[in-house]
PDB file of all heavy atoms in Angstrom:
ATOM      1  N   HIS H1163    -110.398  67.147  -3.208  1.00 59.00           N
ATOM      2  CA  HIS H1163    -109.187  67.477  -2.451  1.00 59.00           C
ATOM      3  C   HIS H1163    -107.944  66.976  -3.171  1.00 59.00           C
ATOM      4  O   HIS H1163    -106.930  67.688  -3.257  1.00 59.00           O
ATOM      5  CB  HIS H1163    -109.265  66.871  -1.050  1.00 59.00           C
ATOM      6  CG  HIS H1163    -107.992  67.039  -0.261  1.00 59.00           C
ATOM      7  ND1 HIS H1163    -107.633  68.248   0.307  1.00 59.00           N
ATOM      8  CD2 HIS H1163    -106.985  66.157   0.016  1.00 59.00           C
ATOM      9  CE1 HIS H1163    -106.468  68.101   0.922  1.00 59.00           C
ATOM     10  NE2 HIS H1163    -106.063  66.837   0.765  1.00 59.00           N
ATOM     11  N   GLN H1164    -108.016  65.739  -3.703  1.00 63.00           N
ATOM     12  CA  GLN H1164    -106.864  65.173  -4.405  1.00 63.00           C
ATOM     13  C   GLN H1164    -106.505  66.003  -5.631  1.00 63.00           C
ATOM     14  O   GLN H1164    -105.332  66.224  -5.929  1.00 63.00           O
ATOM     15  CB  GLN H1164    -107.152  63.723  -4.822  1.00 63.00           C
ATOM     16  CG  GLN H1164    -106.991  62.719  -3.706  1.00 63.00           C
ATOM     17  CD  GLN H1164    -108.265  62.561  -2.891  1.00 63.00           C
ATOM     18  OE1 GLN H1164    -109.171  63.399  -2.972  1.00 63.00           O
ATOM     19  NE2 GLN H1164    -108.340  61.513  -2.099  1.00 63.00           N
ATOM     20  N   VAL H1167    -104.748  69.168  -4.462  1.00 66.00           N
ATOM     21  CA  VAL H1167    -103.366  68.881  -4.071  1.00 66.00           C
ATOM     22  C   VAL H1167    -102.503  68.640  -5.304  1.00 66.00           C
ATOM     23  O   VAL H1167    -101.347  69.099  -5.382  1.00 66.00           O
ATOM     24  CB  VAL H1167    -103.324  67.653  -3.129  1.00 66.00           C
ATOM     25  CG1 VAL H1167    -101.873  67.265  -2.840  1.00 66.00           C
ATOM     26  CG2 VAL H1167    -104.052  67.948  -1.838  1.00 66.00           C
ATOM     27  N   ARG H1354     -92.220  66.450   0.359  1.00 76.00           N
ATOM     28  CA  ARG H1354     -93.439  66.459   1.173  1.00 76.00           C
ATOM     29  C   ARG H1354     -93.436  65.356   2.235  1.00 76.00           C
ATOM     30  O   ARG H1354     -94.476  64.991   2.765  1.00 76.00           O
ATOM     31  CB  ARG H1354     -94.666  66.289   0.273  1.00 76.00           C
ATOM     32  CG  ARG H1354     -94.896  67.435  -0.680  1.00 76.00           C
ATOM     33  CD  ARG H1354     -96.210  67.273  -1.427  1.00 76.00           C
ATOM     34  NE  ARG H1354     -97.342  67.337  -0.510  1.00 76.00           N
ATOM     35  CZ  ARG H1354     -98.194  66.342  -0.313  1.00 76.00           C
ATOM     36  NH1 ARG H1354     -98.007  65.172  -0.912  1.00 76.00           N
ATOM     37  NH2 ARG H1354     -99.214  66.483   0.518  1.00 76.00           N
ATOM     38  N   LYS H1355     -92.232  64.853   2.558  1.00 77.00           N
ATOM     39  CA  LYS H1355     -92.144  63.730   3.485  1.00 77.00           C
ATOM     40  C   LYS H1355     -92.760  64.062   4.841  1.00 77.00           C
ATOM     41  O   LYS H1355     -93.500  63.253   5.412  1.00 77.00           O
ATOM     42  CB  LYS H1355     -90.677  63.324   3.660  1.00 77.00           C
ATOM     43  CG  LYS H1355     -90.484  62.065   4.502  1.00 77.00           C
ATOM     44  CD  LYS H1355     -89.039  61.634   4.536  1.00 77.00           C
ATOM     45  CE  LYS H1355     -88.574  61.187   3.166  1.00 77.00           C
ATOM     46  NZ  LYS H1355     -87.178  60.660   3.200  1.00 77.00           N
ATOM     47  N   ASP H1356     -92.450  65.243   5.364  1.00 72.00           N
ATOM     48  CA  ASP H1356     -93.005  65.622   6.674  1.00 72.00           C
ATOM     49  C   ASP H1356     -94.528  65.733   6.607  1.00 72.00           C
ATOM     50  O   ASP H1356     -95.238  65.281   7.527  1.00 72.00           O
ATOM     51  CB  ASP H1356     -92.407  66.954   7.136  1.00 72.00           C
ATOM     52  CG  ASP H1356     -90.923  66.838   7.434  1.00 72.00           C
ATOM     53  OD1 ASP H1356     -90.457  65.698   7.684  1.00 72.00           O
ATOM     54  OD2 ASP H1356     -90.220  67.873   7.413  1.00 72.00           O
ATOM     55  N   GLU H1357     -95.027  66.327   5.555  1.00 75.00           N
ATOM     56  CA  GLU H1357     -96.482  66.474   5.398  1.00 75.00           C
ATOM     57  C   GLU H1357     -97.158  65.111   5.277  1.00 75.00           C
ATOM     58  O   GLU H1357     -98.245  64.893   5.837  1.00 75.00           O
ATOM     59  CB  GLU H1357     -96.763  67.323   4.157  1.00 75.00           C
ATOM     60  CG  GLU H1357     -98.237  67.620   3.930  1.00 75.00           C
ATOM     61  CD  GLU H1357     -98.463  68.467   2.701  1.00 75.00           C
ATOM     62  OE1 GLU H1357     -97.514  69.143   2.238  1.00 75.00           O
ATOM     63  OE2 GLU H1357     -99.600  68.448   2.182  1.00 75.00           O
ATOM     64  N   ILE H1358     -96.501  64.196   4.585  1.00 72.00           N
ATOM     65  CA  ILE H1358     -97.058  62.846   4.431  1.00 72.00           C
ATOM     66  C   ILE H1358     -97.092  62.121   5.769  1.00 72.00           C
ATOM     67  O   ILE H1358     -98.048  61.402   6.088  1.00 72.00           O
ATOM     68  CB  ILE H1358     -96.235  62.049   3.384  1.00 72.00           C
ATOM     69  CG1 ILE H1358     -96.441  62.647   1.985  1.00 72.00           C
ATOM     70  CG2 ILE H1358     -96.627  60.576   3.391  1.00 72.00           C
ATOM     71  CD1 ILE H1358     -95.538  62.060   0.919  1.00 72.00           C
ATOM     72  N   GLU H1359     -96.035  62.304   6.570  1.00 74.00           N
ATOM     73  CA  GLU H1359     -96.006  61.677   7.892  1.00 74.00           C
ATOM     74  C   GLU H1359     -97.151  62.177   8.763  1.00 74.00           C
ATOM     75  O   GLU H1359     -97.781  61.407   9.513  1.00 74.00           O
ATOM     76  CB  GLU H1359     -94.673  61.962   8.575  1.00 74.00           C
ATOM     77  CG  GLU H1359     -93.494  61.193   8.000  1.00 74.00           C
ATOM     78  CD  GLU H1359     -93.673  59.687   8.136  1.00 74.00           C
ATOM     79  OE1 GLU H1359     -94.245  59.238   9.146  1.00 74.00           O
ATOM     80  OE2 GLU H1359     -93.256  58.971   7.204  1.00 74.00           O
ATOM     81  N   VAL H1360     -97.433  63.470   8.676  1.00 75.00           N
ATOM     82  CA  VAL H1360     -98.543  64.038   9.449  1.00 75.00           C
ATOM     83  C   VAL H1360     -99.863  63.425   8.994  1.00 75.00           C
ATOM     84  O   VAL H1360    -100.729  63.076   9.813  1.00 75.00           O
ATOM     85  CB  VAL H1360     -98.578  65.577   9.304  1.00 75.00           C
ATOM     86  CG1 VAL H1360     -99.849  66.145   9.938  1.00 75.00           C
ATOM     87  CG2 VAL H1360     -97.347  66.196   9.938  1.00 75.00           C
ATOM     88  N   GLU H1361    -100.044  63.286   7.699  1.00 71.00           N
ATOM     89  CA  GLU H1361    -101.271  62.696   7.165  1.00 71.00           C
ATOM     90  C   GLU H1361    -101.433  61.254   7.647  1.00 71.00           C
ATOM     91  O   GLU H1361    -102.542  60.802   7.962  1.00 71.00           O
ATOM     92  CB  GLU H1361    -101.249  62.745   5.629  1.00 71.00           C
ATOM     93  CG  GLU H1361    -101.388  64.155   5.066  1.00 71.00           C
ATOM     94  CD  GLU H1361    -101.310  64.179   3.549  1.00 71.00           C
ATOM     95  OE1 GLU H1361    -100.885  63.156   2.966  1.00 71.00           O
ATOM     96  OE2 GLU H1361    -101.655  65.202   2.941  1.00 71.00           O
ATOM     97  N   ARG H1362    -100.326  60.527   7.720  1.00 73.00           N
ATOM     98  CA  ARG H1362    -100.397  59.160   8.221  1.00 73.00           C
ATOM     99  C   ARG H1362    -100.797  59.132   9.700  1.00 73.00           C
ATOM    100  O   ARG H1362    -101.582  58.275  10.126  1.00 73.00           O
ATOM    101  CB  ARG H1362     -99.042  58.475   8.043  1.00 73.00           C
ATOM    102  CG  ARG H1362     -98.754  58.042   6.609  1.00 73.00           C
ATOM    103  CD  ARG H1362     -97.346  57.521   6.481  1.00 73.00           C
ATOM    104  NE  ARG H1362     -97.097  56.943   5.150  1.00 73.00           N
ATOM    105  CZ  ARG H1362     -95.902  56.587   4.703  1.00 73.00           C
ATOM    106  NH1 ARG H1362     -94.835  56.759   5.477  1.00 73.00           N
ATOM    107  NH2 ARG H1362     -95.773  56.067   3.506  1.00 73.00           N
ATOM    108  N   LEU H1363    -100.230  60.057  10.477  1.00 74.00           N
ATOM    109  CA  LEU H1363    -100.513  60.092  11.910  1.00 74.00           C
ATOM    110  C   LEU H1363    -101.976  60.393  12.204  1.00 74.00           C
ATOM    111  O   LEU H1363    -102.540  59.914  13.201  1.00 74.00           O
ATOM    112  CB  LEU H1363     -99.619  61.132  12.607  1.00 74.00           C
ATOM    113  CG  LEU H1363     -98.119  60.779  12.693  1.00 74.00           C
ATOM    114  CD1 LEU H1363     -97.327  61.952  13.262  1.00 74.00           C
ATOM    115  CD2 LEU H1363     -97.912  59.540  13.568  1.00 74.00           C
ATOM    116  N   VAL H1364    -102.609  61.172  11.336  1.00 77.00           N
ATOM    117  CA  VAL H1364    -104.018  61.510  11.568  1.00 77.00           C
ATOM    118  C   VAL H1364    -104.951  60.481  10.924  1.00 77.00           C
ATOM    119  O   VAL H1364    -106.169  60.676  10.895  1.00 77.00           O
ATOM    120  CB  VAL H1364    -104.347  62.926  11.042  1.00 77.00           C
ATOM    121  CG1 VAL H1364    -103.512  63.976  11.759  1.00 77.00           C
ATOM    122  CG2 VAL H1364    -104.111  63.015   9.530  1.00 77.00           C
ATOM    123  N   GLY H1365    -104.369  59.398  10.378  1.00 72.00           N
ATOM    124  CA  GLY H1365    -105.188  58.301   9.884  1.00 72.00           C
ATOM    125  C   GLY H1365    -105.562  58.352   8.415  1.00 72.00           C
ATOM    126  O   GLY H1365    -106.496  57.654   7.995  1.00 72.00           O
ATOM    127  N   ALA H1366    -104.842  59.121   7.624  1.00 68.00           N
ATOM    128  CA  ALA H1366    -105.150  59.183   6.180  1.00 68.00           C
ATOM    129  C   ALA H1366    -104.848  57.841   5.525  1.00 68.00           C
ATOM    130  O   ALA H1366    -103.859  57.174   5.853  1.00 68.00           O
ATOM    131  CB  ALA H1366    -104.323  60.285   5.519  1.00 68.00           C
ATOM    132  N   SER H1367    -105.699  57.428   4.608  1.00 71.00           N
ATOM    133  CA  SER H1367    -105.516  56.147   3.916  1.00 71.00           C
ATOM    134  C   SER H1367    -104.381  56.242   2.909  1.00 71.00           C
ATOM    135  O   SER H1367    -103.953  57.334   2.510  1.00 71.00           O
ATOM    136  CB  SER H1367    -106.809  55.751   3.198  1.00 71.00           C
ATOM    137  OG  SER H1367    -107.089  56.665   2.149  1.00 71.00           O
ATOM    138  N   LYS H1368    -103.890  55.058   2.485  1.00 74.00           N
ATOM    139  CA  LYS H1368    -102.827  55.026   1.491  1.00 74.00           C
ATOM    140  C   LYS H1368    -103.282  55.680   0.181  1.00 74.00           C
ATOM    141  O   LYS H1368    -102.516  56.387  -0.483  1.00 74.00           O
ATOM    142  CB  LYS H1368    -102.400  53.582   1.227  1.00 74.00           C
ATOM    143  CG  LYS H1368    -101.647  52.948   2.385  1.00 74.00           C
ATOM    144  CD  LYS H1368    -101.191  51.546   2.021  1.00 74.00           C
ATOM    145  CE  LYS H1368    -100.401  50.915   3.161  1.00 74.00           C
ATOM    146  NZ  LYS H1368     -99.943  49.546   2.824  1.00 74.00           N
ATOM    147  N   TRP H1369    -104.536  55.422  -0.230  1.00 72.00           N
ATOM    148  CA  TRP H1369    -105.062  56.019  -1.453  1.00 72.00           C
ATOM    149  C   TRP H1369    -105.112  57.537  -1.339  1.00 72.00           C
ATOM    150  O   TRP H1369    -104.769  58.244  -2.295  1.00 72.00           O
ATOM    151  CB  TRP H1369    -106.442  55.457  -1.752  1.00 72.00           C
ATOM    152  CG  TRP H1369    -107.183  56.245  -2.807  1.00 72.00           C
ATOM    153  CD1 TRP H1369    -108.256  57.057  -2.631  1.00 72.00           C
ATOM    154  CD2 TRP H1369    -106.861  56.317  -4.203  1.00 72.00           C
ATOM    155  NE1 TRP H1369    -108.634  57.620  -3.820  1.00 72.00           N
ATOM    156  CE2 TRP H1369    -107.789  57.185  -4.810  1.00 72.00           C
ATOM    157  CE3 TRP H1369    -105.872  55.720  -4.994  1.00 72.00           C
ATOM    158  CZ2 TRP H1369    -107.766  57.475  -6.152  1.00 72.00           C
ATOM    159  CZ3 TRP H1369    -105.840  56.022  -6.345  1.00 72.00           C
ATOM    160  CH2 TRP H1369    -106.785  56.890  -6.913  1.00 72.00           C
ATOM    161  N   TYR H1370    -105.511  58.034  -0.195  1.00 71.00           N
ATOM    162  CA  TYR H1370    -105.605  59.482   0.024  1.00 71.00           C
ATOM    163  C   TYR H1370    -104.235  60.134  -0.157  1.00 71.00           C
ATOM    164  O   TYR H1370    -104.117  61.226  -0.725  1.00 71.00           O
ATOM    165  CB  TYR H1370    -106.150  59.750   1.426  1.00 71.00           C
ATOM    166  CG  TYR H1370    -106.364  61.209   1.742  1.00 71.00           C
ATOM    167  CD1 TYR H1370    -107.561  61.838   1.436  1.00 71.00           C
ATOM    168  CD2 TYR H1370    -105.348  61.961   2.349  1.00 71.00           C
ATOM    169  CE1 TYR H1370    -107.757  63.184   1.725  1.00 71.00           C
ATOM    170  CE2 TYR H1370    -105.538  63.303   2.648  1.00 71.00           C
ATOM    171  CZ  TYR H1370    -106.740  63.905   2.327  1.00 71.00           C
ATOM    172  OH  TYR H1370    -106.939  65.231   2.614  1.00 71.00           O
ATOM    173  N   ILE H1371    -103.203  59.458   0.329  1.00 73.00           N
ATOM    174  CA  ILE H1371    -101.850  60.014   0.256  1.00 73.00           C
ATOM    175  C   ILE H1371    -101.265  59.871  -1.155  1.00 73.00           C
ATOM    176  O   ILE H1371    -100.627  60.784  -1.673  1.00 73.00           O
ATOM    177  CB  ILE H1371    -100.933  59.316   1.283  1.00 73.00           C
ATOM    178  CG1 ILE H1371    -101.431  59.610   2.703  1.00 73.00           C
ATOM    179  CG2 ILE H1371     -99.492  59.765   1.119  1.00 73.00           C
ATOM    180  CD1 ILE H1371    -100.714  58.819   3.777  1.00 73.00           C
ATOM    181  N   ARG H1372    -101.507  58.729  -1.777  1.00 78.00           N
ATOM    182  CA  ARG H1372    -100.859  58.424  -3.046  1.00 78.00           C
ATOM    183  C   ARG H1372    -101.581  58.981  -4.267  1.00 78.00           C
ATOM    184  O   ARG H1372    -100.951  59.263  -5.291  1.00 78.00           O
ATOM    185  CB  ARG H1372    -100.732  56.905  -3.202  1.00 78.00           C
ATOM    186  CG  ARG H1372     -99.854  56.263  -2.142  1.00 78.00           C
ATOM    187  CD  ARG H1372     -99.825  54.753  -2.304  1.00 78.00           C
ATOM    188  NE  ARG H1372     -98.959  54.124  -1.321  1.00 78.00           N
ATOM    189  CZ  ARG H1372     -98.715  52.826  -1.258  1.00 78.00           C
ATOM    190  NH1 ARG H1372     -99.303  52.010  -2.127  1.00 78.00           N
ATOM    191  NH2 ARG H1372     -97.910  52.336  -0.333  1.00 78.00           N
ATOM    192  N   SER H1373    -102.883  59.140  -4.187  1.00 80.00           N
ATOM    193  CA  SER H1373    -103.668  59.529  -5.363  1.00 80.00           C
ATOM    194  C   SER H1373    -103.232  60.847  -6.017  1.00 80.00           C
ATOM    195  O   SER H1373    -103.222  60.933  -7.254  1.00 80.00           O
ATOM    196  CB  SER H1373    -105.157  59.576  -5.015  1.00 80.00           C
ATOM    197  OG  SER H1373    -105.403  60.463  -3.946  1.00 80.00           O
ATOM    198  N   PRO H1374    -102.847  61.890  -5.252  1.00 82.00           N
ATOM    199  CA  PRO H1374    -102.420  63.123  -5.931  1.00 82.00           C
ATOM    200  C   PRO H1374    -101.211  62.908  -6.834  1.00 82.00           C
ATOM    201  O   PRO H1374    -101.111  63.516  -7.911  1.00 82.00           O
ATOM    202  CB  PRO H1374    -102.086  64.070  -4.767  1.00 82.00           C
ATOM    203  CG  PRO H1374    -102.928  63.587  -3.643  1.00 82.00           C
ATOM    204  CD  PRO H1374    -102.936  62.104  -3.790  1.00 82.00           C
ATOM    205  N   PHE H1375    -100.299  62.034  -6.422  1.00 83.00           N
ATOM    206  CA  PHE H1375     -99.116  61.767  -7.243  1.00 83.00           C
ATOM    207  C   PHE H1375     -99.490  60.972  -8.501  1.00 83.00           C
ATOM    208  O   PHE H1375     -98.944  61.213  -9.584  1.00 83.00           O
ATOM    209  CB  PHE H1375     -98.081  60.998  -6.422  1.00 83.00           C
ATOM    210  CG  PHE H1375     -97.603  61.748  -5.214  1.00 83.00           C
ATOM    211  CD1 PHE H1375     -98.006  61.372  -3.938  1.00 83.00           C
ATOM    212  CD2 PHE H1375     -96.761  62.838  -5.340  1.00 83.00           C
ATOM    213  CE1 PHE H1375     -97.574  62.064  -2.825  1.00 83.00           C
ATOM    214  CE2 PHE H1375     -96.314  63.538  -4.233  1.00 83.00           C
ATOM    215  CZ  PHE H1375     -96.734  63.152  -2.967  1.00 83.00           C
ATOM    216  N   LEU H1449     -92.904  55.417  -1.224  1.00 69.00           N
ATOM    217  CA  LEU H1449     -93.952  55.314  -0.206  1.00 69.00           C
ATOM    218  C   LEU H1449     -94.341  53.848  -0.009  1.00 69.00           C
ATOM    219  O   LEU H1449     -95.493  53.463  -0.087  1.00 69.00           O
ATOM    220  CB  LEU H1449     -95.190  56.123  -0.629  1.00 69.00           C
ATOM    221  CG  LEU H1449     -95.048  57.640  -0.645  1.00 69.00           C
ATOM    222  CD1 LEU H1449     -96.297  58.279  -1.192  1.00 69.00           C
ATOM    223  CD2 LEU H1449     -94.740  58.176   0.740  1.00 69.00           C
ATOM    224  N   LYS H1450     -93.347  53.015   0.250  1.00 63.00           N
ATOM    225  CA  LYS H1450     -93.620  51.601   0.414  1.00 63.00           C
ATOM    226  C   LYS H1450     -94.495  51.321   1.635  1.00 63.00           C
ATOM    227  O   LYS H1450     -95.339  50.436   1.636  1.00 63.00           O
ATOM    228  CB  LYS H1450     -92.314  50.819   0.535  1.00 63.00           C
ATOM    229  CG  LYS H1450     -91.496  50.780  -0.738  1.00 63.00           C
ATOM    230  CD  LYS H1450     -90.255  49.952  -0.565  1.00 63.00           C
ATOM    231  CE  LYS H1450     -89.441  49.887  -1.860  1.00 63.00           C
ATOM    232  NZ  LYS H1450     -88.220  49.084  -1.710  1.00 63.00           N
ATOM    233  N   ASN H1451     -94.239  52.010   2.679  1.00 54.00           N
ATOM    234  CA  ASN H1451     -94.957  51.773   3.937  1.00 54.00           C
ATOM    235  C   ASN H1451     -96.201  52.639   4.048  1.00 54.00           C
ATOM    236  O   ASN H1451     -96.237  53.747   3.586  1.00 54.00           O
ATOM    237  CB  ASN H1451     -94.039  52.027   5.126  1.00 54.00           C
ATOM    238  CG  ASN H1451     -92.802  51.118   5.094  1.00 54.00           C
ATOM    239  OD1 ASN H1451     -92.918  49.953   4.701  1.00 54.00           O
ATOM    240  ND2 ASN H1451     -91.671  51.648   5.498  1.00 54.00           N
TER     241      ASN H1451
END
Side-chain angles (χ1 to χ4, degrees):
H1163 174 76
Q1164 280 87 344
V1167 174
R1354 295 186 65 242
K1355 186 175 294 184
D1356 293 338
E1357 183 180 340
I1358 292 172
E1359 287 298 325
V1360 172
E1361 290 178 346
R1362 284 174 173 170
L1363 290 174
V1364 299
S1367 66
K1368 289 183 178 180
W1369 167 251
Y1370 183 88
I1371 296 172
R1372 297 177 178 182
S1373 57
F1375 299 107
L1449 291 175
K1450 292 182 179 180
N1451 301 323

